[in-house]
Amino acid sequence: MAKTVAFKQVDVFSQLPFSGNPLAVILDADGLSGDEMAAIARWTNLSETAFVLAPTDKHADYRVRIFTVEGELPFAGHPTLGTAHALLEAGLVPQASNQIVQECGVGLVTIKIESQGTLAFMAPEAVLTPFDDALLGTVFDQEVLDTEQVVTIADMGIRWLLVPMKSAEAVLKFKPNVNALERLLKHAQVNGLMPFGPHNDGDEQFEVRGLMVEHGALTEDPVTGSANACLAQYFASRGCVEDYHVRQGTAIQRYGRVTIQYREEGIWIGGQTLTVINGTINL
C-alpha cells in the first residue's frame, strides 16, 4: 500500500493567488531517500520543491532539503518562506513565539513572523566578488548599464551575477541573446543573472529579474529570495542600508513583491505567502 503524506503548494512573495513564485512542500519526508526527493522534484517540475525533515540541531524547529529539477540546493529564499508558511499552517509551534529557525544546507536560518502573516528570513552572509569581463559586452549594451556601480558575483550557496542598470525600464526591456547569456553564466560560474534598476516613483524602489538558461532556453524566475538577499548584501557592502521594496516578475505577468529591512541583527528579506493547493501525495 502506498504511503501518503501531506502536500502543499504555496505561492511566495505575493498576496495575490497565482502571482508569486510557486513552491511544492512535502511535509513529512523523513522516510525518503535523496534519490526519491530528486525524482519528486523533477515530477512537480517547479523551480524548487521542499522536503521537511526532523532537525538534527536542537536550536532548529525543522530541517529542509531543497531540490530543483536538476539537483539539490544548500539554500534558497522562496522555499525558506514557503516551507515556514506551510508548517505554521499545518500546526507547527516553534520554540520561540515570534520566529522560526530552519536548518538547511547553509546551516541555521532565522525566519521572523511579522504582522498580518508576513514572513521574513535573515539573509545569510554572501561572498561578493567584482566581475569585469569582456563577455558582459556580448550580453548588455553599454549605454543601459549603471557604470557608477560594480557588476558583482554574489555567492550565497547559490551564485548570482548582479548587474546594475540605469532604470527599471531598462531592466524590463532587456532581452538577452540566449547563447551569449549562456556563455556568460558558464564563464562566471553562476546560477543566474540578476539585472536591477531603480524606479523613479511608486511603492517599489527597484525592479529586478532572475534570468537563467536551462537546456538551451531562457527561463525567468518569478520572484527570487536568494538573489534579493544577495542584492541586499551588495547594497550593504556599499554603505547603503536604507529599507527598500522590490518588484519582480513584471516581465512574465507576475506580481512579486519583496521587502528588505536592515536591522542591527541582520538583513531581513520578507514577503507575503499563501497556500493555493492542499492535499496529499502518494509515495
Side-chain angles (χ1 to χ4, degrees), residues 17-72:
F18 320 117
S19 298
N21 199 351
L23 170 74
V25 184
I26 310 299
L27 292 173
D28 179 10
D30 279 308
L32 296 177
S33 68
D35 287 343
E36 288 171 320
M37 294 181 196
I40 293 168
R42 289 193 296 269
W43 177 80
T44 65
N45 202 33
L46 296 175
S47 58
E48 282 100 6
T49 299
F51 298 86
V52 179
L53 305 149
T56 61
D57 189 306
K58 65 179 181 180
H59 300 292
D61 293 299
Y62 63 90
R63 182 163 64 100
V64 67
R65 293 181 67 178
I66 302 165
F67 283 80
T68 71
V69 295
E70 295 184 338
E72 188 169 7

Side-chain angles (χ1 to χ4, degrees), residues 141-160:
D141 293 329
Q142 187 68 22
E143 61 267 21
V144 302
L145 297 179
D146 179 0
T147 56
E148 294 184 2
Q149 300 189 74
V150 181
V151 176
T152 298
I153 296 172
D155 189 340
M156 194 178 280
I158 302 178
R159 289 167 56 87
W160 287 93

Side-chain angles (χ1 to χ4, degrees), residues 59-64 80-89 91-103 108-114 117-122 268:
H59 300 292
D61 293 299
Y62 63 90
R63 182 163 64 100
V64 67
T80 294
L81 295 191
T83 301
H85 166 91
L87 287 169
L88 287 171
E89 192 175 67
L92 172 71
V93 179
Q95 297 178 48
S97 60
N98 62 346
Q99 70 176 32
I100 303 167
V101 178
Q102 170 184 283
E103 180 184 352
L108 300 181
V109 176
T110 301
I111 302 153
K112 181 168 57 174
I113 305 170
E114 300 184 311
T118 299
L119 299 173
F121 68 87
M122 187 179 290
W268 296 95

